[in-house]
Amino acid sequence: MATRWGICSAGKISNDFTVALKTLPAEEHQVVAVAARKVEDAQEFAGKHNIPRSYGSYEALARDPDVDVVYIGVIHPHHLKTCLLFTNAKKNVLCEKPLAMNTREVKEILDSAKRNKVFLMEAVWTRFFPVSVEIRRLLAQGQLGEVKMVRSEFGVPLMHVPRAVQKELGGGSLLDVGIYCLQFTCMVYNGEKPESIQATGVCLETGVDETVVVSLKFSGNRLAVFTCSSGVQLPNEAVIAGTKGTIKVSAKLSTKSVGDSEGLGWKRL
Amino acid sequence: MATRWGICSAGKISNDFTVALKTLPAEEHQVVAVAARKVEDAQEFAGKHNIPRSYGSYEALARDPDVDVVYIGVIHPHHLKTCLLFTNAKKNVLCEKPLAMNTREVKEILDSAKRNKVFLMEAVWTRFFPVSVEIRRLLAQGQLGEVKMVRSEFGVPLMHVPRAVQKELGGGSLLDVGIYCLQFTCMVYNGEKPESIQATGVCLETGVDETVVVSLKFSGNRLAVFTCSSGVQLPNEAVIAGTKGTIKVSAKLSTKSVGDSEGLGWKRL
């Protein structure tokens, strides 16, 4: 039987997710319902994507017995209460990144998912890109020797995008794009917790961070640094440097483009 | 009349400098003397490069009345006393980077050069590369809008090189290669002093730094970050990101290779 999806929020990211989901075989995945704060928005979304049911409240979606898993595409500050709504209704949840606004909220969501014995995942799609699979393969094989430095960055001008600059919408470069860098670092260092974290950054007048540089120190003299910015365009490449070799990851993360250092040059795989 | 050079130390870097100097017209630049701690080394160097006079002490070179300017190629910890020897002898000085081991030493050298009214320069050759000239031109024209972020790095495995790892030889990645990143940052921000500096790094058992990440904050919410390492190979590219555009500098700094962002792509100039 197909996994039956409910879509929470009819915004742009929910649209993109639904479009992607529909490329999978219908016998494996089906979108059975969508909910928005306004029922007209849900109805329009349902019509566009050929979804059977539409609801004017998230609570109604939570009560739908035919929904196995809910994709949550609401803005960051609403992740906490929306996640809790669905986990407490015994629904599995795939929540957009960032999972929540701070550690306290994340813990509350995790606790709820465990208590209700439901599946919970933060929608960090980059982990599933071919290049990430290739990186994990190279690391597992020890091709780089001991990794000593991980450098990543994500900078793109977003000053015109309300959700990126307004505090009440969960703005700030760290939550919006920096999370990809942090996830990349965590992936390379296999989920290990850093021994220390230093950050330098600048804020907008709205009180959210525009650009942040974060340095992390891990056990065994291993380092990482990442930069995130909603103010300027960066090349958005990543580097993993080890004692036996260095991987360079192109900005096009969705391709299988890993560069492997040979001496001082770079070979495209 | 040609500028008459004296070479202080007959090591590898002095050899490279002399080779480069000899590519210039002889009516403009001439090497007239070389000094080493052992007179045989000076004689061998003089014979190889066809230099008229060779000395077994730096003091003898300082007394040579025909020397206009001295190139100092000794190891870092000897820069202070060697610089003072020549500035006090009223010789102009071009000293290898880093100028000295710390601020106190640098101040002492600067004071001596001013007091003796001689020319003094730190040999940061990258400032004279075509790409640096091109960067300064683009910045002066305001092509990038306001620069908000400068990212640079210099990482190359040097664990086998005594001067890079031994404390008594002035080892450490910051003094050896990090200085190029700091100079790059200072060049872009036009010599402005940072408001704050944060650093995270790891040290070798010898007590010198292996890898260091430095974040700098400048006035007007402008940032910089650089990474230097003598432990791992990094791509060694640099980025200057502004509100109107982004420059990417290739690892081959000696070429005129500046990348200019157009939308999300990079155009080679």
Side-chain angles (χ1 to χ4, degrees), chain A residues 151 153 198 200 233 246, chain B residues 151 153 198 200 233 246 248:
Chain A
R151 193 247 292 159
E153 66 187 8
Q198 275 192 340
T200 304
Q233 180 68 47
T246 301
Chain B
R151 192 249 293 160
E153 66 187 8
Q198 275 193 339
T200 303
Q233 180 68 47
T246 301
K248 188 178 175 194

Side-chain angles (χ1 to χ4, degrees), chain B residues 70-177:
Chain B
V70 175
Y71 168 82
I72 296 178
V74 301
I75 58 172
H76 313 167
H78 295 170
H79 283 185
L80 173 65
K81 70 175 179 191
T82 317
C83 278
L84 295 182
L85 168 68
F86 291 110
T87 51
N88 287 333
K90 310 286 182 191
K91 299 296 186 196
N92 301 297
V93 166
L94 175 64
C95 181
E96 256 314 318
K97 39 70 41 181
L99 186 54
M101 295 299 289
N102 52 49
T103 311
R104 182 185 54 73
E105 289 190 7
V106 166
K107 279 184 179 156
E108 211 172 324
I109 295 171
L110 290 179
D111 286 347
S112 171
K114 283 176 189 165
R115 198 169 54 243
N116 288 290
K117 296 186 170 55
V118 293
F119 175 86
L120 169 74
M121 195 164 88
E122 189 181 25
V124 181
W125 69 331
T126 49
R127 284 279 181 117
F128 300 91
F129 285 0
V131 74
S132 298
V133 176
E134 177 67 3
I135 286 168
R136 290 194 294 267
R137 189 185 69 79
L138 291 168
L139 291 174
Q141 287 181 345
Q143 299 251 358
L144 303 194
E146 191 193 4
V147 172
K148 303 282 283 180
M149 167 57 75
V150 180
R151 192 249 293 160
S152 60
E153 66 187 8
F154 199 160
V156 60
L158 294 170
M159 289 299 104
H160 56 290
V161 179
R163 69 163 168 78
V165 297
Q166 289 179 26
K167 193 162 188 173
E168 62 276 19
L169 298 181
S173 63
L174 200 53
L175 287 175
D176 196 46
V177 290

